[in-house]
Amino acid sequence: SRRQGICKLDTLGSFVWPLIDGKKNIIELGKEVVAHFGEEAAPLYERLAKFFQVLESYHFIKLNKDV
């Protein structure tokens, strides 16, 4: 069975979550975020990094730290 949990997402997180496919890296995801949100996404990579840290802490994703 699939593990389910509750995690509140802000607007940026709600946009990014369905884009996470295991192939795109944070830079590629960031480009999609900027294309959608523009300056509203700032500080972009700090927000994305924190978002991924939270997702990993809940075991929703596993970060590949070798790349």
Side-chain angles (χ1 to χ4, degrees):
S1 77
R2 200 169 173 196
R3 181 177 173 191
Q4 295 197 8
I6 296 174
C7 182
K8 287 184 91 171
L9 300 177
D10 65 5
T11 306
L12 185 138
S14 295
F15 178 80
V16 172
W17 176 248
L19 300 177
I20 299 171
D21 61 4
K23 297 174 185 158
K24 294 178 186 140
N25 63 36
I26 196 169
I27 302 297
E28 294 166 323
L29 292 169
K31 289 177 183 177
E32 293 191 44
V33 170
V34 167
H36 185 81
F37 290 101
E39 291 298 315
E40 288 181 49
L44 175 61
Y45 291 104
E46 290 87 345
R47 289 178 72 186
L48 283 176
K50 182 65 178 173
F51 179 61
F52 281 104
Q53 288 171 350
V54 170
L55 291 177
E56 185 177 43
S57 75
Y58 283 105
H59 305 285
F60 292 149
I61 64 169
K62 184 174 182 199
L63 296 176
N64 182 355
K65 297 175 183 168
D66 295 330
V67 179

